[in-house]
Structures are given as C-alpha cells and as structure tokens.
Amino acid sequence: MIDSSMDDLLERDEAEAELHRSLAGARDGRGGIALVSGEAGMGKTSLVRAFLARSAGRPNVLLGACDPTASPRPFGPLIDAATDVDPGLADRLASGLTRAETFSAALELVDSDAATVFVLEDLHWADESTLDLFTFLGRRLRDRRVLLVATYRSDEVDARHPLRVRLADVQAGVVSRIELGGLSQDAIATLAGSAAVDPAVLHRVTHGNPFF
C-alpha cells in the first residue's frame, strides 16, 4: 500500500508535475524513462511515492529496489516487482532463468493495455545484471505504455560509475530528468516546526537537505 499522506513534501510540485506529464505520455503509447536524481536525503523516494499516490487512472505499479550489499541480488528489483504481482515468476527468476528468458519475462511483466509504472529505486547500487535489464527495457519502451522511473544518488555516480555508461546507452529513451536540490530556508523552517532552532542556521548546516 502506498502512503498517500504527503503533507511534508515541500517545493517538489514541479518535479511531481514532470512525472505526471511523463506518465500521460506513456498512457498515449509514448513510454520511456524518468530519471530522478539527487544527493542522499533529498526526498527522491518521497517524491516517487507522492507521484504514485496521486496518479490518475490507476496505472499498474511495479516496485523494485537495489540494495547496498557486497553481493547484490541478480535482477533483484525485477524479483521484487514480480513478487507483488506474479509470485510464480518471482520463484522462477530466483531459481535462475536464462538471461534471454529473464529479459523476455520482464518485457511481458511491464507490457499491458493499461499504463504501467516500473520503479527502480537506488539504481546506483545495481549489479551488472540489473543494469543490463535497465538498458534492455530502456531501449524498448518508446512505443509502449510504460514509464520506467529510476532513482539514483547523483553524488555517487561519477564519470567512472557503471550507471553513467548505461544512462548514455538509453539516452534516446529518457523522457524526463529530475534533479532534486536542497530546500529553501522557508521550507526548512516549516519542516523544523516548533523546534528550538534558528532556521537560517539549520539551512546553512544542512544545505537544505530535508532528511537532515
């Protein structure tokens, strides 16, 4: 269940509107990728949850995440997504399908008459197989009713990071790029509420990062 209580989501209206525009395009058969980036704590996950909670037309939603482990799960986000909608497929993926079978299964999972949103969280932690899947799907969505939403920490993806190459590979399929920056001093003051702290000092120390 997606939490629809998003009262603390400040100064993200345009970012959310961009996601809704991208979803509208996917509904019309112009699918693609929405990249949501920003430093840790900038509210990428909160933004995506708000977008999903307020999306009109009840799109199909698939959720998957990458983990900061030494040995990431191969195709972990795809297994996450399949677990919620097709446990049998999740079991087959976990037990080991061939790469071709996995890619075909992923395409079938996202392909639907209704719009589908497939969220890949924390793609900066993805293993090579998940990055391969991201590239495969990203190059095949333009004529499908699918929006692939990928979040990642921009401060962790330097020129040598494997994700950087993959982003170049799918550039033609990217329909929106959303970089979340720090909040204003007024927004930080709102988040601080009645706390006994000077909003100006808090803003200066946190650089507007809502998590801190």
Side-chain angles (χ1 to χ4, degrees):
M1 180 66 68
I2 300 167
D3 184 5
S4 60
S5 177
M6 300 295 169
D7 295 338
D8 60 345
L9 192 68
L10 302 174
E11 299 183 342
R12 301 305 191 212
D13 290 350
E14 179 53 37
E16 185 182 340
E18 180 63 23
L19 287 173
H20 287 295
R21 286 191 289 269
S22 298
L23 177 56
R27 284 199 180 94
D28 292 337
R30 303 188 308 275
I33 306 168
L35 301 174
V36 180
S37 59
E39 295 179 3
M42 283 298 177
K44 298 180 291 295
T45 296
S46 295
L47 169 65
V48 172
R49 287 179 177 174
F51 156 65
L52 293 175
R54 293 193 276 248
S55 292
R58 296 175 179 268
N60 299 322
V61 176
L62 303 171
L63 300 173
C66 304
D67 302 306
T69 57
S71 300
R73 299 172 300 155
F75 301 114
L78 180 61
I79 295 173
D80 288 344
T83 298
D84 291 335
V85 298
D86 190 344
L89 173 59
D91 289 342
R92 295 197 302 276
L93 288 167
S95 63
L97 296 177
T98 67
R99 182 167 294 255
E101 290 170 339
T102 298
F103 287 178
S104 294
L107 206 53
E108 290 178 12
L109 192 64
V110 301
D111 226 350
S112 171
D113 290 336
T116 297
V117 180
F118 186 6
V119 178
L120 293 173
E121 284 265 34
D122 295 320
L123 204 57
H124 53 281
W125 287 325
D127 68 297
E128 284 296 323
S129 62
T130 298
L131 290 176
D132 285 347
L133 176 66
F134 172 69
T135 303
F136 174 83
L137 290 177
R139 294 167 64 89
R140 288 163 174 79
L141 300 184
R142 298 192 69 177
D143 297 322
R144 289 181 162 87
R145 294 183 173 88
V146 182
L147 178 64
L148 186 62
V149 179
T151 74
Y152 65 94
R153 294 181 182 176
S154 52
D155 55 324
E156 295 192 18
V157 180
D158 60 21
R160 294 173 295 178
H161 195 286
L163 178 57
R164 182 67 65 186
V165 175
R166 303 312 179 101
L167 293 178
D169 288 341
V170 300
Q171 186 172 2
V174 173
V175 294
S176 60
R177 295 178 183 269
I178 300 169
E179 172 77 25
L180 298 184
L183 301 179
S184 69
Q185 182 175 312
D186 287 343
I188 291 297
T190 299
L191 287 178
S194 59
V197 62
D198 183 340
V201 173
L202 187 60
H203 183 263
R204 185 169 66 252
V205 170
T206 64
H207 300 286
N209 189 308
F211 177 80
F212 296 115

